[in-house]
């Protein structure tokens, strides 16, 4: 089967977002291309989640533009910090969006089972999704998104409340998706996690993208003084 045409690159130009008279993102420009994961890092309240929501189309910019510049139809999905599970089995949670996407029943079952297996959840397929642990639910949310075979997957702090073992399992799932060609765009507070996963880094501070660089260059010596302070563990105002 031929791979669908790419919708990437995704370009944001002069992006601004404000709410209630308060500016949250300011004149942000960013090009997202196919390749290894882009980790968006920065202090609390920098605007990381808002940026992901804008890029995924859940919020409308107050100024600027977002364009998918490839020839293909956009295929992007998002996983939230606290995923919402349907009151059904894990397998049915993965099948449901496939049904909405119009996949025939037999193909749905096979694709959902494969996505669960890839996330290491095959043994839990029949379990009620809402009874799974936080880490299992997060992996289930990833499997549910991955089953749609998105070209881009936006992940908003997917490991925020997970212990190290659950974090590791989620990171394995993310790395697997990236290796299969899915562009990961992910926010995290955890610098060690950013070092483990990132191919490129975007550093946001007070609603401004102060740096976007290959991960190796960024961690070896960020250009923005605020990014350098953040890497040193200083508390940024
Ligand atoms: N829909 C909204 N309406 C109004 N203000 C919002 C909205 N969404 C976010 N904000 C505000 O915008 C700022 C940036 O929020 P955002 O959640 O993007 O930060 P963040 O960098 O993801 O922070 P954290 O690391 O704490 O999750 C915050 O001050 C937040 O209160």
């Amino acid at each position: 089967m031929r791979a669908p045409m790419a919708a990437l690159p995704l370009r944001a130009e002069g992006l601004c977002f404000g709410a209630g008279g308060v500016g949250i993102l300011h004149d942000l420009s960013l090009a997202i291309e196919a390749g290894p994961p882009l980790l968006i890092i920065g202090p609390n309240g920098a605007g990381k989640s808002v940026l992901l929501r804008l890029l995924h189309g859940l919020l409308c910019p107050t100024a600027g533009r977002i364009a998918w510049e490839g020839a293909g139809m956009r295929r992007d999905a998002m996983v939230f910090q606290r995923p919402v599970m349907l009151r059904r089995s894990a397998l049915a949670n993965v099948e449901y969006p496939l049904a909405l996407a119009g996949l025939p029943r037999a193909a749905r079952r096979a694709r959902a089972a494969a996505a669960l297996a890839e996330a290491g959840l095959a043994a839990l397929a029949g379990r009620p999704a809402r009874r799974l642990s936080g880490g299992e639910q997060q992996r289930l949310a990833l499997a549910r998104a991955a089953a749609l075979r998105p070209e881009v997957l936006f992940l908003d702090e997917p490991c925020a409340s997970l212990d190290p073992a659950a974090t590791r399992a989620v990171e394995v799932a993310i790395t697997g998706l990236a290796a299969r060609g899915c562009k990961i765009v992910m926010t995290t507070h955890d610098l060690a996690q950013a070092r483990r996963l990132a191919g490129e880094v975007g550093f946001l501070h007070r609603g401004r993208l102060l740096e976007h660089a290959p991960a190796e260059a960024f961690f070896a010596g960020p250009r923005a003084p605020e990014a350098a302070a953040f890497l040193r563990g200083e508390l940024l105002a």
Side-chain angles (χ1 to χ4, degrees), residues 17 19 24 43-50 157 189:
F17 181 77
I24 294 170
N44 283 136
K48 302 181 294 294
S49 300
V50 166
E157 291 272 5
H189 277 102

Side-chain angles (χ1 to χ4, degrees), residues 105-132:
R105 185 181 295 268
R108 278 198 309 261
R109 178 59 50 102
R111 192 172 317 169
L116 283 179
E118 276 157 17
L121 294 172
L124 304 180
R127 292 263 199 95
R130 291 189 180 184
R131 302 250 183 86
L132 299 179

Side-chain angles (χ1 to χ4, degrees), residues 1-96:
M1 203 171 64
R2 247 185 334 158
M5 279 196 295
L8 286 173
L10 170 60
R11 192 177 301 278
E13 265 175 9
L15 208 58
C16 298
F17 181 77
V22 178
I24 294 170
L25 285 188
H26 313 281
D27 193 20
L28 187 151
S29 295
L30 169 71
I32 297 177
E33 317 224 3
L38 165 60
L39 272 282
I40 308 280
I41 63 173
N44 283 136
K48 302 181 294 294
S49 300
V50 166
L51 175 60
L52 283 201
R53 284 166 194 263
L54 283 164
L55 294 173
H56 186 47
L58 294 175
L59 293 172
C60 281
T62 37
R65 62 190 282 274
I66 296 171
W68 294 83
E69 296 187 330
M73 292 267 288
R74 65 184 273 192
R75 290 174 295 117
D76 53 314
M78 183 156 172
V79 173
F80 299 89
Q81 200 171 322
R82 280 182 288 275
V84 177
M85 292 298 152
L86 302 173
R87 208 181 292 277
R88 304 177 186 189
S89 70
L91 183 67
N93 265 270
V94 182
E95 285 180 316
Y96 181 68

